[in-house]
Each structure stands twice: as C-alpha cells, then as structure tokens.
Amino acid sequence: MLLGRRNECGTLDRLLTGVHARESRALVVRGDPGVGKSALLEYMVERASGCRVVRSAGARSEMELAFAGLHQVCAPLLDRAERLPAPQRDALATAFGLRAGEPPSLFLVAVAMLGLLSEAATERPLVCVIDDAHWLDRPSAQALGFVARRLTAESVAIVFAVRESRDEFRRLPELVVEGLKPADARAFLRSVIAGPLDARVCDRIVAEAHGNPLALSQSPRGLSPAELAGGFGLPDAPAPSGKPAASFDARLDALPADSRRLLLVAAAEPVGDPVVVWRAAERLGISGEAAAPAAAAGLLELGTGVRFGDPLVRSAVYQAAPFKDRQDVHAALAEVTDREADTDRHAWHRAHAAPGPDEAVAADLERSAGRVQARCGVAAAAAFLEPAARLTPDPARRARRALAAAQAKHHAGAPDDALELLVMAEAGELDALASARVDLLRGQIASASSGGRDASPLLLEAATRLEPLDPGLARDTYLDALGAAMFAGPLARGAGVLDVAQAARAGSSAHPAGATDLLLDGWVLCITEGYPAGAPMLKRALSAIRSEDVSRDNGLGRLWSAGRAAVDVWDDETWELLVTRHVELARAAGALAVLPVALNARAAVHVSAGELAAAEALLAEAGTVSVATGSQHAPYGALALAAWQGREAKALELFETTVRDVTPRGEGLGLTAVHWASAVLYNGLGRYEEALAAAQQGTEHPHGAPFSTWALVELIEAAVRSGSLDRATAAMRQLSESTQAGGTDWALGIAARSGALLSEGEAAEELYRDAIERLDRPCLRVELARAHLLYGEWLRREKRRRDAREQLRIAHELFTAMGVKAFGARSARELLATGQTARRRTDDQAGDQLTSREAQIARLASDGLSNHGIGTELFISSRTVEYHLGKVFAKLDIASRHELSRVLDGDRLAQAA
C-alpha cells in the first residue's frame, strides 16, 4: 500500500477483483503532474497477478501523429488480428500504415480495437495501462474512449492517467488523485532524506510542494545537509516554482553532456525504438556509456524499449534543450530513419531539423500530407501542411500551402489555427482567385463555428468575388451562403435569405445542370417565387445526388444542404440516405468541423423513427465533438429528442439554454426550432393554449423550414383543440402548399391527418384512415402513432368507444415502446375516458424491464443474428453480447434465444430499441 493512498489503492484493488470475475472495468486516474498517478499505475500492475498487462504512454511529440498511441496498445496484440472480421483487420492495418488503402473510419478502427482486446482476454484477464493519456493523439484518445465505454464482460481493464479531463473520456469512472495530506507528506519527505531534517524546513517544503510527491522528492536535492538539518540558507533561497517539470533541472545538469544529449535523442524519437535512438546517438558522437549515468539518476532506461523514469522527464528534457540542440537531434533521427520504409516520419524529423525555409523539406511535407490524409484523415494532413507552409521560401507558394493548411485545419475542427494560417496566406502573394478563396474559407469557418449571422455576409462577398474567376465555385459558395443565411434566419443582418437568393439569381446566367446547381436554383425559386415553383427542381437535385457517387471532397459541403432539401420536399427515404452518408463521410475524413451537424441531422431521423436511444447516442457524440472543436450550433437533434420524450423539466431547461446561446450569435433557426419543439411538447402534454402560442412563434419566419413548416402542423392541432378554427384553417392553407408540392406519402399523410382535424363525419374518418396508411413507414413511426391517437380521440368524441379503444390502444403501445412519454400519457388518458385502462401486455412488460441496450440485443437475437453478428451491428464485442443476453434471459424468465420470439413481439421490441 502506497503511503497516504489507501483509498486510491483500494479502488484499484476492486477494479482488479472485478476483472478477475469476468467483468470489464475502465477508470480515469486524474491528478496534477507528479501527484503520484504513475506510482498508482505501478501499484496496480504489480498487483495484476494472473493478468496480461499492456502498457503505453502518450508523448507530446507524438500528438500530431494519428493513431500513434493506439499503436502502442495494439502492437503486442496484433498476432490476434487475424481473428477479426476482414473490415476491422484491414482498418487497423491501414491506420498503422501496414497496408495502403482509403482512410478507415475512426469508428471502424475503434471497433477493431474492441475486438482485439476481447480476443486477447479470452486466455486470461487483460489490463491496459495508458499513462500520460492527456498527450495521446486525438484519434487514439477517441478510439480508446469508445472502447472503454463499451467494455462490459470481456475481463478487460483500461486505466488512463491524465492531468486534466479529456472530452474523449467523458462519462468514464474517475479517480481524482489529490496531494498527500500534511502528515503523510511529512512522513514521505522524511523517507527520502537520509540525514536529520529540521521541522521548520520540513514544513516549508511540504507547504511549497502542496503535497505533491514528486515535488517532495525533488525539492531537497541540491540542498546541503546543513540546510536540511538546520534551515541554514533556505529562507533566502528562491522558492521552488511548484512545477514538477522544473525539478528535473538539477538532475539533468548533473549528468555528463553525452547523457543529456542521449536523453534529448530519446525524447525526440516519438516511436520509442531503441535501435533508432542508438543509431542517431552514434551519428551525434554519443558514446555507449552515456546511458549509465541517466539510468543511475532514474531518468532513462534503454533496453528492449525506451522508458523514462517519470513521464514528465521526456517533456522536461525536450523543453529545456536549446533550439539548436533539438534541431541537431532531429537531423540525426532523420538520417537514421529509413526514407523508403518510413517516408513520412523521415520528413517529419527533417522539418524539425530545418534551420530555416527549405523548399525541398516543404515539398516532402506536402507530399507526406497527401499520403497521411489518405491513411488517417485531415487532422493528420494538417500537421504536415502547416510546417510545409512555414518552411516554404517562395511567397506565392507559401501562400498557396498556407491556404491548403488552413483548409485542412478547418475541416479538422481547429478554427483558430486555420485563421492564423489564413493570415500567413494573405501575407504572401495571392492571385485574385486565391484571395477570393481566403474570403470563402473565412466564411466557412464562421459558419462551422457558430452558424450565426456573421457567416452569410462573408460567404456572399466571397461568392460575388468568385463570379468572374470561377463560376462553378461561385455557385457552390452561393449555396453555402444561402445555408448560412437560413441558419441566421430572423436574426440575420445584412445578408438574409432573400438577399442571398436574389444575388445568386442575378449571378452567372450559364447554369450547369449538376446536382449542386439544381439544388441552388431550386432553393432560389422557392425563396423568390414560392415553394411550388422551386420544389420540382429540388426533387431533380435530390434524384441526381442519390444516383451520383458522392466523394469526400464534394460530399462534406453538399450533403447537409441536400438532406435539408429532402426534408423540405417531404422525402423521408432520401433524407435518411443522405444524412447517413453525411455522417459516414465526416467520420471517415475526421472532419470534425461538420461532424456535429451531420450527427444532429442523423439523430433527427432516429427521433422521427421512434429510435430515441439511438438518437441519444449520436447526440452524445456530437456534444463531445462540439466541445473539442469549439463549435456552437444549436442542438437541433436534442431539441427534437426532448420534445418527443415529453419530459417537461428537462426539455424546458434545454429550450431556455438554447435561446440564451443562439440569440447573441444570431442563429435564428435555433429560435424557430425551439418554438416548434415547445409546441410538440405542449401538444403532447395536452396544454393546447401554450402549444398554440409556441407554434405561432415558430411559423413567423417563412424561411425557417423545416421547423417553421412542422410548426404549422402543431399549430393546426393546438388551434383546433383551443377552439381557434380560423387560425387552424389559415395554417392548413399554408401547410397544403408545401405538402401538395411535396406529394410524398409523408407529405400527404401529414396533410390528411391535419385536414381531418378540421373535417367532420365521413370526410374526417376517410382522412384519418388515409393518414394512417400513408404514415406507416419506418422513418415516420412517431407520426403514425400520433395519427392513431388523433383518430382515436375523434372516434371517442363520435361516441364510438369500441373503435376508439382500438386506435388509442395502438397509439399507447407505440408511444410507450418508443419512450414518447407525454403523448403516451395522453393516449392513456383518452383510453381511460373510453372506460378502459391502458393495461400493459406481456410484451410491454418485457420491454419496460429491459434497458435500451438489452432491447436492441434481444431484437437482433430474435431476428436470428449470432452473437458475433450482433456485436458487429452494435459495435460491441461478442462477449458483451453474451453478457447482455444472459441478463435478458433472466429478466424474461426464458432459457434460450429461441424463446425470444414467443415472449416478445419483434416489431415492438424494435421500437423499444
């Protein structure tokens, strides 16, 4: 037991006990530098008898190298990669540069990692220890966080040590390591000093160290025995800075010059390959005896690997070294790195060794960026493009490379870095087209960062400048500007939706017939001439987009616009297809700037289908990415989810927060979305006056679709229930213009359901039946349930209780299975009014007993999928599937998966999942 760490050690002991009991555990050990995180990890490793231990550590010098940290964890286990499904095996091989190929999806790499750990744990429990996880490269941290959250019954433990919380590890259990208590700190300090220690000196060192064990152990070094024993000279000595990294200076200064240089070589070599370290050391004239003093000082071990005595040593050594020494070391490492086998790492070291602008080095970096992007995505490419720009001597070429680097940084979700690179680009020699592209990128950064009023004027100006230079790009930019203006909505200043549409219409008269052009022209017609005029062209655009092979280059910018157009013309199939494609492209490219928007759109599809748990998972991911990138869009998917869940307190808190956030930055579409969501919430709760007020506000901005259009639907129902038939009739006229032009089952089903509210007798019944028939589609389950509810309510008021019970029971079952609580309660009240209680059937009871994850697994098992197939579908391991199925069987009192179809109705369970 470590001194003063009984509680912390107890936590680690319990973690190991759980792993030995076939449970998986994850833990984040967080604390200040030097507080003892590494010591706790060592304690756990020593106690992990009977377990296989895999260790790795993040390094600041590797943070720009995608999947470097993940490679450390996977390397000892890659002999089991052959047991993985081919796509997962290929994803790992491509990510680690073992084979050529398209960049793998980060999720696919993470799933492969999950499978690899699960396979390794089949022989004996596996403990993965990741020290200095705050220095992991982002893709590695994201993948490891993904795995840690999905481990359940694999006998795997993953323990991270970090200085500060990372978004990638959010929601993982956390052990916060504080400084030692004063009594323990004194005992610890006395244990590291051989001679007498004056009590006052002891107290001062303890106070200055704040209980930090590393500072406590390092502070006395360099002090004479007299100073320690009697405090002679200590009060006049400079107070320690309190930063543990600074405490290494004395030990480093005491080493021979060769030992210090060897430490620097090891610190600068990011892979931890001792062969490369020694070869570079030989190039620098460092003798083989240089390692002994560093090892004796507890700073470095050079054996089968490169290991620093403390994780802080690496950064302390590197930061303390003069710039020229670091250049020399990187030059030596570049010389000994195989240029053919490891071209990109060779270029990376050459860049750090360059004394000044060097076109040859910059060109190598630019070529590496292309290879790295193909393998690891835009963030990795940006790490090469940025130094390429800085090392380019020619002003024109430097400006071009800086612009390329800025674009990569933007897509990678680093807007501040992108803007800084744009300043560099503008300082160079830009032609008119490149200068206009700078304006375009500034607008795109503003749009991705905030979605507010600032983006559309910038993009409109860029589009205007591009007109005579590149008409095709100009039209793409008009489409971006129109999308930004739609986001700004009623809060736009200077470049509203109508302004942009008119400018685009007045632009180039030679309009090609590509999908993007059709999309732009369709929206321009909708805005300037009315929805019926533009809808046919939007449909043509969607048809073209569905049939074309959307690449990463054109898909990331176009698919959001196309998905929105699909909603505008009520095309649910195309909507689902396009938003799914958008998420896939954004993930594959590591395009964090657009991923949150894509995830929110995909979540909205899940909500419409009644798949609330799936929507919640995507929204959690979107939130994590938004925090990491600093983007500030309204949480559109979360608004829809909260509205349909019907949890009033939680929903109202979200609505209030959203209004407070979007108003200052001018994202008016967020306000329209809040009004629509409020109307849905209040209609579900049966508070129709409040729903009517919210819906009225949601319809005030004509270009706030789809929310303004959806708000018309809410307004009609709320107005009818409130007795405001004139307002309902006026809203129905507006809605009909949209639904008739759309012409799909979704559009006509919503129109029929809304029109039935304003009808009587046989006409109303016919409309309700038509609505139910048309809305019986996978993506529209909440709308279908609502049609049954409204039909049942109408039947009850017509005193046809038996018929009403049938419709209301169907509505109640659907809403309950989906977790749509407010509307479910409303249907239960209506059912009670017919004289019948909303009883839960056996399948309902089972669905209520099961968690969302258990329900998903039970559904797939009842469909005949194997444990391996279910794991692949849900991104979990086969052993986790087995674990959850055991709980499902216990809850449902069955013995095997063959009984699932008897106990549970597959369709209803699909809703619960």
Side-chain angles (χ1 to χ4, degrees), residues 7 148 171 187 237 285 323 327 334 439 566 586-587 596 601 618 654 761 788 852:
N7 292 337
R171 300 197 313 273
F323 181 68
Q327 285 181 314
D439 290 345
R587 281 178 176 159
L618 290 180
L654 177 64
H788 283 291
S852 174

Side-chain angles (χ1 to χ4, degrees), residues 26 28 70 110 113 136 138-151 158 160 167-172:
V28 177
L70 200 65
M113 174 71 174
L136 286 173
R138 182 178 292 175
S140 292
Q142 289 174 319
L144 288 166
F146 175 97
V147 170
R149 283 187 289 271
R150 281 156 179 80
L151 290 168
I158 301 184
F160 305 93
D167 288 328
E168 294 88 346
F169 305 144
R170 183 181 292 178
R171 300 197 313 273
L172 294 179

Side-chain angles (χ1 to χ4, degrees), residues 531 535 539 542 546 565-575 710 736-752 770-771 773-777 780:
Y531 186 81
K539 292 178 183 179
L542 292 172
R546 284 192 62 155
V567 180
D568 284 354
V569 297
W570 302 87
D571 186 345
D572 53 299
E573 288 184 359
T574 301
W575 181 31
W710 293 347
S736 296
E737 182 179 89
S738 171
T739 55
Q740 288 174 11
T744 64
D745 279 337
W746 183 10
L748 299 178
I750 292 295
D770 185 36
E773 182 179 352
R774 290 183 181 279
L775 295 174
D776 190 6
R777 301 171 62 81
L780 306 174

Side-chain angles (χ1 to χ4, degrees), residues 557-596:
R558 297 286 78 83
L559 283 175
W560 177 85
S561 299
R564 166 145 184 193
V567 180
D568 284 354
V569 297
W570 302 87
D571 186 345
D572 53 299
E573 288 184 359
T574 301
W575 181 31
E576 181 178 20
L577 172 68
L578 294 179
V579 297
T580 301
R581 201 183 287 180
H582 198 194
V583 170
E584 290 170 352
L585 276 178
R587 281 178 176 159
L592 301 184
V594 300
L595 184 56

Side-chain angles (χ1 to χ4, degrees), residues 412-435:
D416 292 340
D417 292 342
L419 291 172
E420 183 179 332
L421 285 161
L422 284 182
V423 172
M424 180 191 299
E426 289 176 309
E429 297 178 3
L430 293 172
D431 58 23
L433 177 59
S435 180

